[in-house]
């Protein structure tokens, strides 16, 4: 009995209860993650972080939320009022919606019903998450536009371009997963990772997804839509009070959502870490959730880590990276994966598959070394002609080309 | 029937050589003529190989075919481009390539001072290719391609010196007269297709016995028209005299030996049509008899040596056509005369060319005289040809012409007497005018200018002449010995089963009669031209003047065809200007008025275009709505 | 919502409810798109229509297409529209005054005719047709079914369309490409060092440097004591707010004194 | 519910799109109206697919989406180019082709 048919038997009230559970989980997780991020970043910067409100400062983010809610709600005069209000709502609603297809546990019993902790199981679940994510960006873009101010507009522009570009890479990275799992349903994908995590089997896909998920959520080092240093705060510059809080919430829920998706697609979902499978049997289905959230929190830590260590990328470099690196690499990788898949489904001998893989590795190595050489050559070509001497006296230094030492 | 893979070379070699020389341009100026000559010689070689191969086979296996590609495939109408080499075509192949090669050689010297010698040789090769296609095609359609090809080559070569308007006009005249004949051929092909559903010789031959008399007569008449056009027969003969504008080797090759005999070939090839239709045969003999007398009379009046020879060609081909019209046995005699004529007439034309070469291109025979002393070889070869053409035994013409006269008498009844008489009369006039040509040119006292320095031609020119004159001496005897050619051609023209039962006159009597009239003719000519020849032609009798004007042929054409044609054209032009143009102008005016008013619709706004589109969609929907109501 | 969408194959009532709620909203949104002034609002309303349609697709057992509709149309196409709107005409709100004579009444007339005829024709053609339904066809899954068709019967069309997509992408790049007009920072710095004089290689001097007064309208003094006119903002120069530099220059005597 | 309601909806949306193309002047809005028309056609396709019980309609709809994507990309590029040269995205301003 698979997840889809189990869910199909759920009565309406059970779905409501599950929805509530997911919602509460997300909100709590947001509060905790805001606190956690501040603590972790502080540690990375040799500080302590919030530690006053509640034990270890755990209630700090709750207090901040209350404070935000009590602030004056400003709507700029130049703003487009309706869109200005709608934008944070779109952000906040869509970020929760992707949880509908996340399998949080295996089979559990809830109020006497056998079910799984997953609201619905669509055959195209992952595509659904992508779709919701793409709708979610409307919040940011519209917020930027409706503020009627330059910085937010620039933030919105950047955000839309960023989303269009990185969604392509993200979608392409998922193709390999679909090919290997033979399905686009989240629960099927989790089941397909029973033996090997896709993070291992499809390592390049995992890396591409991990990179593009950071881009998708506008997090450092890809937080160009809000770039404090350049755009004052980007799309949410003009927002305050609860509307700002909604964006805040949306950002963190989104982080959790993409982390959950990464967990589901690449890290075996709610299943235990390799070698610890017995825990699922001993402690029951609900314990799977622990494994799930351990993985999600791992991803969250990665996010924080990135924020704490990496500088923000320049916008053009960021776009160049997306279009000229991530997408071509994804395409090539899909080619390789599908070839391998066809080979194995045709029952080619292992040696052939191994030879093919080895050949691909060789080609990649050769290609990269050629590329590096050409880059080095290009940088040499850029040097000015050494026969043109500067028109001013330059002290002679032995072994150094004078022009090069000045211009290079 | 045997399949041969070499037949294509016969056509392809000269064709490619021609294209090669034309495309390569000036680079080939230095060696183009040598290449062309070698190619021509090699086709002769191929022809010889095929001939001996055919000799070694026997009976039905002698004919060889080669299918090249499927040419036309329209429904049930299928024509292959394929070649057929049988006993008839091999005669032509050897004649064309053999005489052609000799004339190539001759031309190297004759044209050596011409700037465009390479182009001339390219055209010659083109002619050889087209002529070979004509005789090798296995269907009327393939023949037609060659037919048009030789027409083109002839046009190009007559007008070779087209910087002179008169020559260009002569080329055009030849082309147009040929076109009239070509219409006949194309009509014949169309009728054949409607009647027999096939245009191959084999297909038409198979269908001919079952066809209606009217159809056969129509095809025969059309084929005769085609033959008349190509072979300068009455009433389309007027172009041949003017065609002498071309270089003399051209006259020798195309307008004496080969192309003009295509009509004879066509009729012989279509023997199955003419065998089945007595009316067609009658037409043929009438045309042949008229032309042989016509040409002979014209020949007596011409002072231009080439035109005199041209008239003689016309007359001799008249003999051939006459022979073809005389039924199965006549075909072989026609072909025999064709072959011998090819030798002696080519020899004489080359001789004429040699004379012109020595006389600074002077063609008026009244300004020759006594050239035999300065040009002994030319005089000798020309003399041999002369003896052959007037039918002095044992030269070639005696064998071939006597057979034709004999056959004409044997046609029986009044017809036999009339035809035989005409042929005999023709022979006498031939003897007269040919003697006139010879005497005026080579004997008597010299009448040429002080400026002229007649001299013998270079060896490259006289060697072909010698070879041809040997042919004109020996060919008649060789071909008629034991009826060699008759037996050889028998499978093609069906002559084996027809042996003329009754003889009006025995061969000996005919020969004696012929010899008698020839002697009379020769004697008359010697008496008239031996003594003194005025440099300016005397006014002469009415008949002489009429003959000088080609017996009024051009006048007839001008008055009966050209003038009414012009009038009709003028009238049509008037109608075109007033009426047709008026309609067109009215349409144009209406359109421009409409467009001026419709221009407002095109206001440049995309949205109004979109609106119009929507309106169109509404109209469409309304139409559907109404239709499905 | 999705729960319900999945069940509509079997029951009719929820689908009817869904339809009668969503369809009027879609029509209203489409009308709104037609009537609102701001292009961005139009885009948003259109996005809403598209999402509605996606929901309808899902309700009509075209799950894959519904999701793809959101990803492609709402996610990519409309986002592209918004992007271009922001890039091109953020504040160029369309004036709704018609400038082609008779365009609007004619358009409305044509539209009424078009719509009326279309609806009437549809009414005749498909009204009360019994739907076969996709339950049987989708037995192996909607995605699998589409894939089956797409890669067998329609594979040629699929390839052609992919070629079209690539061509379109290239075409858009070529169309939208513009020669780079401004010079990059790197190029500027390289150029600075390549010129004959290295006087302002390190940037223009700031106003007031070494002068006796550090106001912005006082030129800087160069090492030889002369004034550097490039040190004053061109704006001030244009306004005429510039003070003669002579009084502030160092004279030779003064230099010696110091 | 009668399934032809979807077709009616499709027809209505299509008509609205057509009016938009004719009436609106902002090139981008005109373009969006074209998209609306395509979408309406898609809805009809999907409904027909359901009526006929095969997936051909959905496939057609799929191809429409792809082609629409192509069209949007190129069309918007053209609009950007137009805007660059004449600082306007109004279709009425691009009316010089009449002569």
């Amino acid at each position: 009995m698979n997840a889809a048919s189990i869910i199909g038997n759920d009565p309406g009230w059970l779905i409501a209860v599950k929805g509530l559970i997911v919602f509460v989980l997300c909100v709590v997780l947001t509060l905790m993650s805001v606190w956690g991020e501040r603590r972790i970043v502080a540690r990375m910067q040799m500080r302590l972080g919030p530690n006053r409100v509640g034990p270890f400062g755990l209630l700090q983010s709750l207090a901040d939320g209350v404070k935000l809610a009590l602030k004056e709600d400003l709507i700029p005069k130049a703003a487009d009022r309706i869109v200005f209000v709608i934008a944070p709502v779109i952000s906040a609603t869509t970020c929760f919606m992707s949880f509908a297809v996340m399998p949080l546990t295996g089979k559990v019993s809830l109020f006497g019903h056998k079910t799984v902790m997953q609201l619905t199981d669509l055959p195209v679940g992952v595509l659904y998450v992508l779709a919701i994510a793409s709708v979610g960006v409307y919040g940011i873009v519209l917020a930027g536009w409706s503020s009627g101010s330059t910085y937010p507009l620039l933030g919105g522009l950047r955000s839309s371009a960023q989303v269009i570009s990185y969604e392509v890479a993200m979608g392409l990275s998922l193709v390999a997963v679909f090919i290997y799992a033979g399905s686009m349903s989240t629960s099927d994908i989790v089941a397909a990772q029973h033996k090997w995590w896709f993070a291992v089997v499809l390592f390049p896909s995992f890396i591409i997804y991990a990179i593009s998920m950071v881009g998708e959520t506008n997090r450092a080092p890809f937080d160009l839509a809000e770039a404090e240093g350049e755009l004052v705060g980007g799309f949410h510059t003009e927002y305050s009070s609860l509307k700002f809080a909604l964006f805040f919430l949306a950002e963190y829920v989104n982080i959790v959502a993409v982390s959950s998706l990464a967990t589901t697609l690449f890290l075996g979902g709610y299943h235990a870490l390799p070698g610890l499978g017995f825990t699922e049997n001993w402690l029951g289905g609900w314990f799977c959730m622990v494994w799930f959230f351990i993985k999600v929190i791992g991803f969250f830590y990665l996010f924080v880590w990135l924020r704490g260590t990496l500088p923000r990328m320049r916008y053009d470099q960021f776009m160049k990276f997306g279009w000229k690196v991530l997408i071509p690499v994804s395409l090539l990788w899909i080619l390789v994966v599908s070839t391998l898949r066809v080979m194995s489904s045709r029952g080619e001998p292992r040696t052939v598959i191994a030879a093919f893989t080895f050949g691909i590795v060789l080609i990649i190595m050769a290609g990269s070394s050629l590329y590096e050489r050409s880059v080095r050559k290009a940088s040499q070509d850029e040097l000015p002609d050494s026969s043109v001497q500067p028109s001013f006296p330059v002290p002679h230094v032995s072994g150094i080309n004078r022009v090069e030492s000045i211009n290079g | 029937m045997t399949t041969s893979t070499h037949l294509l070379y016969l056509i392809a070699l000269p064709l490619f050589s021609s294209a090669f020389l034309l495309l390569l341009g000036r680079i080939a100026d230095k060696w183009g003529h040598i290449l062309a000559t070698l190619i021509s010689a090699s086709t002769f070689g191929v022809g010889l190989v095929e001939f001996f191969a055919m000799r070694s086979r026997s009976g039905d296996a002698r004919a060889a075919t080669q299918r090249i590609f499927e040419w036309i495939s329209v429904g049930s109408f299928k024509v292959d481009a394929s070649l057929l080499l049988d006993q008839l075509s091999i005669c032509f192949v050897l004649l064309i390539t053999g005489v052609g090669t000799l004339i190539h050689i001759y031309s190297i010297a004759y044209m050596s001072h011409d700037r465009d010698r390479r182009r001339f040789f390219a055209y010659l090769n083109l002619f050889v290719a087209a002529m070979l296609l004509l005789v090798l095609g296995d269907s009327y359609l393939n023949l037609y391609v060659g037919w048009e090809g030789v027409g083109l080559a002839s046009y190009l070569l007559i007008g070779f010196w087209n910087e002179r308007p008169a020559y260009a006009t002569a080329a055009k005249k030849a082309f147009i007269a040929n076109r009239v004949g070509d219409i006949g051929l194309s009509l014949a092909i169309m009728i054949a297709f409607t009647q027999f559903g096939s245009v191959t010789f084999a297909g038409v031959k198979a269908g001919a016995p079952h066809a209606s008399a009217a159809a056969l007569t129509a095809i025969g008449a059309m084929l005769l028209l085609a033959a008349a056009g190509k072979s300068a027969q009455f009433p389309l003969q007027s172009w041949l005299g003017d065609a002498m504008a071309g270089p003399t080797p051209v006259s020798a090759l195309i307008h004496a030996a080969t192309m003009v005999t295509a009509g004879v070939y066509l009729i012989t090839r279509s023997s199955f049509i003419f065998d089945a239709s007595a009316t067609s045969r009658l037409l043929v003999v009438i045309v042949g008899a008229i032309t042989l007398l016509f040409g002979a009379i014209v020949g007596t009046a011409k002072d231009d040596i080439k035109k005199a020879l041209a008239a003689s060609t016309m007359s001799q081909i008249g003999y051939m056509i006459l022979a073809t019209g005389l039924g199965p046995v006549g075909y072989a005699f026609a072909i025999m005369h064709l072959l011998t004529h090819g030798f002696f007439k080519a020899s004489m034309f080359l001789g004429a060319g040699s004379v012109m070469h020595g006389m600074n291109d002077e063609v008026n025979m009244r300004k020759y005289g006594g050239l035999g002393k300065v040009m002994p070889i030319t005089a000798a070869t020309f003399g041999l040809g002369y003896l052959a053409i007037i039918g002095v035994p044992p030269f070639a013409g005696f064998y071939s012409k006597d057979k034709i006269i004999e056959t004409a008498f044997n046609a029986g009844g009044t017809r036999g007497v009339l035809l035989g008489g005409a042929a005999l009369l023709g022979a006498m006039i031939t003897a007269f005018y040919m003697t006139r040509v010879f005497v005026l040119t080579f004997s008597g006292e010299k009448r040429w200018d002080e400026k002229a320095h007649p001299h013998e031609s270079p060896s490259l020119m006289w060697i072909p002449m010698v070879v041809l004159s040997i042919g004109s001496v020996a060919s008649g005897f060789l071909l008629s010995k034991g009826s060699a050619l008759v037996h050889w051609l028998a499978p093609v023209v069906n002559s084996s089963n027809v042996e003329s039962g009754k003889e009006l006159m025995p061969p000996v009597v005919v020969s004696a009669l012929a010899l008698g009239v020839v002697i009379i003719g020769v004697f008359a000519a010697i008496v008239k031209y031996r003594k003194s020849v005025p440099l300016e032609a005397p006014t002469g009798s009415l008949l002489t003047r009429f003959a000088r004007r080609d017996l009024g042929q051009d006048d007839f054409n001008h008055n009966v065809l050209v003038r009414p044609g012009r009038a009709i054209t003028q009238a049509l032009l008037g109608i075109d200007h007033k009426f047709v143009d008026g309609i067109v102008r009215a349409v144009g005016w209406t359109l421009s008025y409409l467009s001026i008013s419709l221009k407002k619709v095109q206001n440049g706004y995309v949205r109004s275009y979109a609106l119009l589109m929507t309106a169109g969609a509404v109209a469409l929907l309304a139409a559907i709505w109404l239709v499905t109501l | 919502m999705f729960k319900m969408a999945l069940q509509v194959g079997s029951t009719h009532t929820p689908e009817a409810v869904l339809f009668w709620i969503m369809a009027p909203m879609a029509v209203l949104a489409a009308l709104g798109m037609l009537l609102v002034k701001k292009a961005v609002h139009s885009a948003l309303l259109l996005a809403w229509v598209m999402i509605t349609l996606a929901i309808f697709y899902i309700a009509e057992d075209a799950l894959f297409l519904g999701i793809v509709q959101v990803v492609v149309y709402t996610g990519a196409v409309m986002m592209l529209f918004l992007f271009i709107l922001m890039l091109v005409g953020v504040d160029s709100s369309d004036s709704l005054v018609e400038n082609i004579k008779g365009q609007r009444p004619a358009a409305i007339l044509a539209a009424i005719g078009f719509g009326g005829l279309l609806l009437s024709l549809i009414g005749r053609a498909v009204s009360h047709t019994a739907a076969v339904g996709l339950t049987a066809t989708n037995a192996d899954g909607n995605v699998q079914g589409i894939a089956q068709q797409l890669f067998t019967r329609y594979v040629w069309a699929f390839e052609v369309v992919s070629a079209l997509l690539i061509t379109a992408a290239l075409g858009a790049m070529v169309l939208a490409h513009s020669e780079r007009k401004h010079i990059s920072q790197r190029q500027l710095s390289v150029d600075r060092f390549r010129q004959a004089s290295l006087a302002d290689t390190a940037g223009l001097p700031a106003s007031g440097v070494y002068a006796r007064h550090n106001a912005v309208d006082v030129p800087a003094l160069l090492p030889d004591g002369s004034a550097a006119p490039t040190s004053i903002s061109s704006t001030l120069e244009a306004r005429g707010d510039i003070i003669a530099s002579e009084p502030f220059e160092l004279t030779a005597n003064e230099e010696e004194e110091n | 519910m009668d399934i032809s309601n979807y077709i009616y909806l499709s027809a209505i949306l299509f008509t609205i799109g057509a009016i938009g193309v004719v009436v609106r002047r902002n090139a981008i809005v005109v373009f969006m109206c074209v998209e609306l028309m395509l979408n309406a056609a898609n809805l009809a396709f999907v409904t027909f697919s359901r009526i006929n019980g095969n997936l051909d309609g959905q496939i057609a709809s799929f191809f429409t989406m792809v082609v629409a994507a192509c069209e949007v990309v190129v069309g918007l590029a053209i609009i950007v180019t137009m805007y660059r040269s004449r600082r306007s995205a109004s279709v009425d301003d691009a009316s010089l082709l009449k002569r």
Side-chain angles (χ1 to χ4, degrees), chain D:
Chain D
M1 187 194 71
D2 190 355
I3 200 160
S4 54
N5 285 351
Y6 285 113
I7 313 277
Y8 289 125
L9 175 63
S10 155
I12 293 169
L13 292 181
F14 190 91
T15 312
I16 293 173
I19 303 176
V21 172
V22 179
V23 171
R24 293 301 296 257
R25 264 181 298 168
N26 187 332
I28 302 174
V29 179
V30 170
F31 221 142
M32 290 197 286
C33 290
V34 173
E35 291 303 314
L36 179 63
M37 288 160 81
L38 287 171
N39 266 283
N42 275 357
L43 178 62
F45 269 130
V46 170
T47 312
F48 289 143
S49 165
R50 191 176 170 201
I51 290 177
N52 292 325
N54 59 35
L55 291 173
D56 292 347
Q58 294 190 14
I59 304 258
S61 187
F62 175 81
F63 282 132
T64 313
M65 280 185 197
V66 181
V67 176
C70 300
E71 175 223 339
V72 163
V73 168
V74 175
L76 287 179
I78 291 172
I79 289 175
V80 168
T81 320
M82 209 168 90
Y83 182 78
R84 226 185 252 149
S85 64
R86 52 179 68 229
R87 292 282 133 198
S88 153
S90 164
V91 288
D92 283 3
D93 287 350
S95 62
L96 294 176
L97 266 182
K98 64 181 164 183
R99 277 178 204 105

Side-chain angles (χ1 to χ4, degrees), chain B residues 292-322:
Chain B
L292 82 87
L293 285 175
F294 196 106
I297 294 168
V298 171
T300 57
K302 290 289 180 188
D303 287 338
D304 182 327
I305 183 169
K306 282 179 73 180
K307 290 200 172 169
L309 287 176
S312 131
T313 304
M314 206 188 290
S315 162
Q316 296 303 313
I317 296 169
Y319 274 107
M320 300 172 209
I321 296 284
L322 173 65

Side-chain angles (χ1 to χ4, degrees), chain B residues 33 67 210 267 271 328 358 361 401 544 561 588 625:
Chain B
H33 50 281
R67 181 174 180 278
H210 316 294
I267 294 178
S271 58
D361 289 336
K401 204 192 275 178
T544 317
L561 298 176
W625 194 83

Side-chain angles (χ1 to χ4, degrees), chain A residues 20 55 81 120 150 209 214 230 248 257-258 300 320 328 330 334 373 396 398:
Chain A
L20 194 68
R81 293 185 70 93
T120 179
T150 311
Y209 178 81
V214 179
E230 307 160 24
F248 211 81
V258 292
F300 180 75
K320 208 177 270 179
S330 308
I334 289 170
R373 186 189 286 178
H396 176 75
S398 63

Side-chain angles (χ1 to χ4, degrees), chain B residues 114-128:
Chain B
D114 202 286
R115 278 190 303 124
D116 274 339
R117 180 162 63 162
R118 171 188 51 79
R119 189 159 62 88
F120 180 79
F121 275 89
Y123 291 161
L124 274 189
N125 267 355
L126 174 66
F127 171 76
V128 170

Side-chain angles (χ1 to χ4, degrees), chain B residues 95-260:
Chain B
L95 179 72
I96 294 158
T97 55
V99 176
T101 305
L102 289 174
I103 284 169
H104 271 81
I105 296 168
Y106 179 89
S107 305
I108 293 175
Y110 189 83
M111 301 293 287
S112 60
H113 301 302
D114 202 286
R115 278 190 303 124
D116 274 339
R117 180 162 63 162
R118 171 188 51 79
R119 189 159 62 88
F120 180 79
F121 275 89
Y123 291 161
L124 274 189
N125 267 355
L126 174 66
F127 171 76
V128 170
M131 191 69 203
L132 287 172
L133 177 60
L134 196 162
V135 298
L136 285 174
D138 85 325
S139 72
Y140 282 104
L141 216 55
N142 288 330
L143 181 145
Y144 191 74
V145 176
W147 190 268
E148 293 296 324
V150 294
L152 171 70
S154 156
Y155 167 76
L156 291 171
L157 285 166
I158 295 171
F160 187 72
W161 289 316
N162 54 14
E163 59 269 17
R164 283 184 233 178
Y167 289 12
T169 312
K172 267 189 273 176
K173 188 174 176 184
F175 200 70
I176 289 164
N178 268 303
R179 293 305 315 168
V180 177
D182 297 344
I183 290 169
L185 182 54
S186 52
L187 281 176
I189 294 174
M190 290 174 204
I191 299 170
F193 175 62
T194 55
Q195 290 295 315
F196 311 117
S198 165
V199 293
T200 60
F201 298 136
V204 177
K205 188 176 184 180
H210 316 294
S212 69
L216 285 173
T217 308
I219 296 175
M222 285 302 128
L223 287 176
L224 178 64
L225 180 64
K230 196 60 88 188
S231 297
Q233 297 298 294
F234 181 83
L236 296 175
Q237 79 281 31
S238 66
W239 64 271
L240 187 59
D242 291 346
M244 295 302 122
T248 309
V250 172
S251 310
L253 177 63
I254 301 183
H255 304 120
T258 54
M259 186 191 87
V260 287

